[in-house]
Amino acid sequence: MPRISEFFGIAIYLYFADTNRHQAPHFHAKYGGEEAVYSIPDGDRLAGRLPKRQERLVQAWTALREAELEQAWNHAVNFEPPGRVEPPS
């Protein structure tokens, strides 16, 4: 599971071919001992949970990096390295 970004202590991961568990394009966000799954492109939470502040940061970042996240997802489901997605600037 490649880490594609990290900001404010939040690590963002894409799992290769993780479409069996979640059908929609998505990524996993981890903060402390918490993990949540968010959809691409809208940033809706699909599973798990993060503290409210971190969730807002993840959702704002998703809106900023929508095209990059979609590109990373397309690479990952084709078993290609997804690359890095820039943290918020």
Side-chain angles (χ1 to χ4, degrees):
M1 131 182 92
R3 182 184 303 196
I4 62 166
S5 196
E6 187 170 349
F7 50 91
F8 305 113
I10 303 164
I12 307 294
Y13 296 90
L14 275 181
Y15 290 90
F16 286 93
D18 189 23
T19 56
N20 291 334
R21 193 167 134 198
H22 312 286
Q23 295 299 316
H26 66 280
F27 60 88
H28 296 247
K30 295 183 179 185
Y31 178 80
E34 309 266 359
E35 180 177 356
V37 179
Y38 294 90
S39 68
I40 303 168
D42 55 24
D44 288 343
R45 184 167 21 100
L46 301 174
R49 78 181 260 348
L50 292 182
K52 195 171 259 320
R53 180 174 188 272
Q54 282 70 27
E55 179 162 90
R56 285 193 304 263
L57 289 168
V58 167
Q59 290 172 329
W61 173 78
T62 302
L64 289 172
R65 303 292 186 224
E66 175 185 339
E68 293 170 75
L69 286 165
E70 287 177 347
Q71 184 177 33
W73 172 263
N74 289 332
H75 287 297
V77 297
N78 288 308
F79 297 98
E80 300 168 358
R84 299 274 303 159
V85 177
E86 291 296 316
S89 47

